Amino acid sequence: MDEPIEDNNQDAIDFFSQLPDNYIVFEEQVDVKNQLDYFEASKKCREEKKDFNVLEIREKLFLPDTSIEEKKQILVQLASLENIEDFRVIEKYKNNPDPEMKDWAALAFIESKTLIENSLTDESHVIISSGLGGKKNCLRFFIVLFNVHESGFSDTQKKVLKTETEIKFSEYNSEIEEINFYNNYCTATCLIPVKTPVHVIFRSIIDECNLFGNFLKTNFIVTNVKKLSQEEIMQLEENNKVK
């Protein structure tokens, strides 16, 4: 998902429901723009199929006078080769990259690893990546639930929300990493299996919580791009008129 969304995003739901069973979740948290830039460069590399000296570029990757832009291109080229030796070169660089190359090295590593696994198993795995990353077969999501009352959450409401979330997450093999309460909203960072409809889980949590006093608004914000700041949350609430 490219941007934060409010409650029900049918495009995202349709996308995840159509995914094949053979997929790999990219676990690291990498800026979405860097992901787009990397995979665009990777696609271009494959389409152009330019010749290059593998031994030479392996060496240049570790030279301090090689420019960052050239190192980016080298990583893309090495990742395209489906070769274990080149994978080890990428792995070595990933373990000690130039500071501004951390994201690029992580992306080259997962692409190279996936391509090699595909060639060895005759299976085609799909890489699923997001700004917040994931864990095993789960993607990480940042959720915002809004309180109906400006006065904030009472201790009882906090307990109800935590309990209902834990119950519902146990049904979907999901995991809460963090939950925080503020004046008129709460945020949660959680891991949810890739094909699980996130909106269904939180719609159910809201419905169950509202049996105890209707204290949650029915719409909510969910994103797997990044953790939102207070200013971004307030702006989204205003733009979408969360109610």
Side-chain angles (χ1 to χ4, degrees):
M1 294 183 293
D2 292 334
E3 337 181 352
I5 60 173
E6 178 195 354
D7 189 18
N8 181 6
N9 186 317
Q10 192 60 47
D11 289 341
I13 296 167
D14 292 343
F15 171 77
F16 287 119
S17 67
Q18 295 171 14
L19 280 173
D21 292 330
N22 297 326
Y23 61 83
I24 296 173
V25 173
F26 181 49
E27 297 191 0
E28 299 194 43
Q29 298 186 33
V30 172
D31 181 82
V32 171
K33 183 181 185 304
N34 287 341
Q35 292 187 39
L36 294 173
D37 289 345
Y38 176 86
F39 288 114
E40 180 63 31
S42 176
K43 178 182 176 183
K44 183 178 180 181
C45 176
R46 294 178 186 285
E47 290 176 346
E48 293 180 349
K49 297 180 180 179
K50 291 182 178 179
D51 293 329
F52 51 86
N53 186 313
V54 177
L55 295 179
E56 180 182 335
I57 66 171
R58 286 178 185 171
E59 181 179 348
K60 290 185 71 174
L61 180 62
F62 297 93
L63 296 178
D65 58 346
T66 304
S67 70
I68 293 300
E69 287 306 313
E70 189 170 3
K71 288 186 178 184
K72 287 182 177 181
Q73 184 60 32
I74 289 171
L75 284 172
V76 167
Q77 291 172 326
L78 292 176
S80 72
L81 296 177
E82 301 180 24
N83 181 287
I84 293 178
E85 288 184 24
D86 295 306
F87 169 73
R88 294 303 177 196
V89 171
I90 295 171
E91 183 179 38
K92 179 181 177 181
Y93 181 75
K94 176 180 178 290
N95 290 335
N96 188 30
D98 296 278
E100 54 270 72
M101 289 290 290
K102 182 179 177 182
D103 287 357
W104 208 267
L107 290 161
F109 177 84
I110 190 64
E111 182 182 29
S112 178
K113 182 174 182 289
T114 303
L115 289 174
I116 291 171
E117 289 176 350
N118 288 349
S119 67
L120 294 175
T121 62
D122 291 326
E123 294 182 358
S124 181
H125 291 83
V126 175
I127 300 174
I128 301 175
S129 63
S130 71
L132 287 176
K135 183 179 179 181
K136 295 183 179 178
N137 70 326
C138 295
L139 285 174
R140 183 172 287 104
F141 289 89
F142 181 79
I143 313 293
V144 185
L145 303 178
F146 293 90
N147 197 316
V148 171
H149 307 290
E150 294 295 328
S151 57
F153 294 87
S154 68
D155 290 341
T156 299
Q157 290 171 345
K158 291 178 183 179
K159 183 176 180 181
V160 168
L161 181 51
K162 287 180 178 179
T163 300
E164 294 299 336
T165 302
E166 289 171 357
I167 292 172
K168 188 57 61 177
F169 270 37
S170 68
E171 296 176 10
Y172 286 93
N173 297 315
S174 301
E175 175 186 343
I176 304 170
E177 292 186 317
E178 183 181 32
I179 184 166
N180 294 297
F181 291 90
Y182 302 91
N183 279 343
N184 64 325
Y185 66 88
C186 76
T187 65
T189 306
C190 49
L191 292 165
I192 299 176
V194 168
K195 293 190 177 184
T196 301
V198 180
H199 76 293
V200 171
I201 296 178
F202 282 93
R203 172 65 66 190
S204 178
I205 290 171
I206 290 171
D207 289 344
E208 291 297 324
C209 286
N210 281 342
L211 294 176
F212 300 89
N214 289 312
F215 62 91
L216 289 177
K217 295 183 180 181
T218 56
N219 289 345
F220 55 92
I221 296 169
V222 52
T223 179
N224 58 11
V225 174
K226 65 176 183 176
K227 292 183 179 181
L228 302 175
S229 67
Q230 181 179 2
E231 291 74 18
E232 290 170 321
I233 291 170
M234 292 296 96
Q235 188 62 53
L236 281 167
E237 180 187 25
E238 177 64 25
N239 292 346
N240 291 287
K241 297 180 181 178
V242 174
K243 59 184 178 180

